[in-house]
Each structure stands twice: as structure tokens, then as C-alpha cells.
Amino acid sequence: GQQLNQSPQSMFIQEGEDVSMNCTSSSIFNTWLWYKQDPGEGPVLLIALYKAGELTSNGRLTAQFGITRKDSFLNISASIPSDVGIYFCAGLRAGNMLTFGGGTRLMVKP
Amino acid sequence: GAVVSQHPSRVICKSGTSVKIECRSLDFQATTMFWYRQFPKQSLMLMATSNEGSKATYEQGVEKDKFLINHASLTLSTLTVTSAHPEDSSFYICSAEGGGGAEDGYTFGSGTRLTVV
């Protein structure tokens, strides 16, 4: 089936650092979505991307829809402690169903 | 914004019993809802698509007789885990379109932590 490869799987951040994560797929998606999930909660939508090449920002978050429609990245600038959590990319496929990436776990450096 | 309410948030049940999880769209109508299962430190895996007024569509490998889905109204879908076993312990999450179409992304419930003992 269709799969999204998300990297990195986990990363440590220090407050103030910029963070970058990405997703790639062997299949084309017409819509890419980025979600954040806090422990014990459902995912919350951060950014939705609709067009190849589209670059969209939401506060300190910026995401781009790859020109081939097979990849997307999410950047977080000037990270803060509450950015900790799990970030998922998701592609919208036929039948209006979402395929999720494996997630990127953001943690704070001790 | 769109809100999806999921209940209960946590449930512990004995092996062999059944558990019902509710998913409600609070301020919009959802003809389609989705049920996911998430194991620890893993991604969300789609279990089934719940369609109002018709039978649910199950993903490959998901037992429809074990995970009963009922979508009797435009605001409520239920997932019943029948004859639960410890391996069914997981985090179950529902989602629905937010009213603006699938392209606006789906709104997720807060999840149900099921523990079968």
C-alpha cells in the first residue's frame, strides 16, 4: 500500500533552535497535511498544503508541498518547550482517506 | 472550529467483554468518520471508514466482526470492540471532516486508551 517515509524519527531540540522534518512518498498526493500530537491526545492540524510547490506558514511553522507532489517538509523556527510532541505528515488519497507518516518525536535536550 | 468529542478517554475491561467507544461531531454534521488505532510510539493506522446510514468499510486485515462500527446519525459513530483480548489494548482515535471538505484536514477526537486485562 501507499506509505509515507518521515524523517527523522526523533530529534532533540534546544530552545531557540530551528527544526526541520520531511516526508517522502512513492505515490503522488494531492493534499499534504501536517499534524502535531501531544501525549494521550488526538492529532491537531497545523498546516494544510494543496498545490505543488506551495509554501505555507502558520506562525513559527512553515511547510512546503514538493514540486513532484511526492514530498513535503515542515520547519519550526526558534523552537520553544511547548513544541515538544510528535509531528505527523499525512497525505490525502483517493476516497478522502489519510495516510500517515511514521512521525517525528521532538524532545528537549536535557 | 470543528470539534470532535470522543468518549470515554480511558477504559479498562476484562478479557472477553465488549467495549463501546463513541465519537461525536459537536458543531457540524459528518457523513463520514474514520477510526484509527495507534500502538505505543507508532503512527496512526486506519481501521475503517464509517459511513452514515450504510455499512462501514474496513481496511485489509481488520476484522469487521470484532470491531463493530455503527454510524446511525450524522453526528455519532460508535466503535465496539467485541470479545476484547489483551492484544486489543491500544489507543483508538476517530476523526471527521471539519465541514470544509477533506482538503481542510480532518478533526480528530482526543482518543480512547483501551486496556484489556
Side-chain angles (χ1 to χ4, degrees):
Chain A
Q2 295 169 316
Q3 290 185 339
L4 295 184
N5 299 308
Q6 187 171 348
S7 65
Q9 290 185 350
S10 63
M11 59 191 307
F12 283 94
I13 59 172
Q14 211 150 40
E15 187 171 353
E17 285 184 338
D18 294 343
V19 173
S20 184
M21 61 193 78
N22 69 83
C23 272
T24 60
S25 170
S26 57
S27 303
I28 290 174
F29 289 98
N30 291 321
T31 300
W32 281 85
L33 306 162
W34 284 92
Y35 289 88
K36 183 191 179 196
Q37 184 180 28
D38 290 325
E41 298 288 333
V44 174
L45 182 67
L46 300 175
I47 291 179
L49 301 161
Y50 307 110
K51 296 180 181 178
E54 178 182 357
L55 186 70
T56 298
S57 293
N58 178 8
R60 293 179 296 106
L61 277 61
T62 302
Q64 184 158 31
F65 192 157
I67 197 72
T68 64
R69 292 193 286 159
K70 292 183 178 181
D71 63 298
S72 177
F73 72 74
L74 174 70
N75 286 342
I76 305 173
S77 62
S79 57
I80 59 178
S82 61
D83 289 336
V84 166
I86 304 176
Y87 292 79
F88 290 101
C89 62
L92 189 65
R93 54 186 169 103
N96 287 339
M97 289 180 283
L98 289 177
T99 298
F100 281 86
T104 295
R105 184 179 297 268
L106 231 54
M107 296 165 284
V108 176
K109 280 182 183 175
Chain B
V3 177
V4 172
S5 173
Q6 192 171 337
H7 179 80
S9 58
R10 289 177 178 270
V11 59
I12 300 174
C13 71
K14 293 183 178 180
S15 288
T17 62
S18 296
V19 173
K20 180 184 284 188
I21 303 169
E22 293 187 349
C23 182
R24 293 180 186 272
S25 55
L26 295 188
D27 49 2
F28 65 101
Q29 293 182 334
T31 55
T32 303
M33 292 185 176
F34 300 89
W35 287 96
Y36 295 83
R37 179 166 52 186
Q38 185 179 32
F39 291 108
K41 297 188 177 182
Q42 293 189 22
S43 188
L44 286 76
M45 296 301 296
L46 180 65
M47 297 175 66
T49 303
S50 172
N51 303 298
E52 187 269 335
S54 65
K55 290 182 180 180
T57 304
Y58 290 83
E59 293 298 294
Q60 191 172 8
V62 178
E63 299 175 59
K64 62 180 180 180
D65 294 330
K66 180 167 185 61
F67 299 100
L68 300 180
I69 291 173
N70 184 282
H71 195 153
S73 78
L74 286 171
T75 59
L76 174 65
S77 175
T78 61
L79 169 68
T80 301
V81 183
T82 63
S83 186
H85 291 285
E87 58 265 31
D88 297 324
S89 298
S90 187
F91 193 54
Y92 293 86
I93 313 174
C94 67
S95 74
E97 285 186 42
E103 292 77 13
D104 284 346
Y106 293 93
T107 300
F108 285 81
S110 56
T112 297
R113 173 75 59 194
L114 170 63
T115 303
V116 184
V117 298

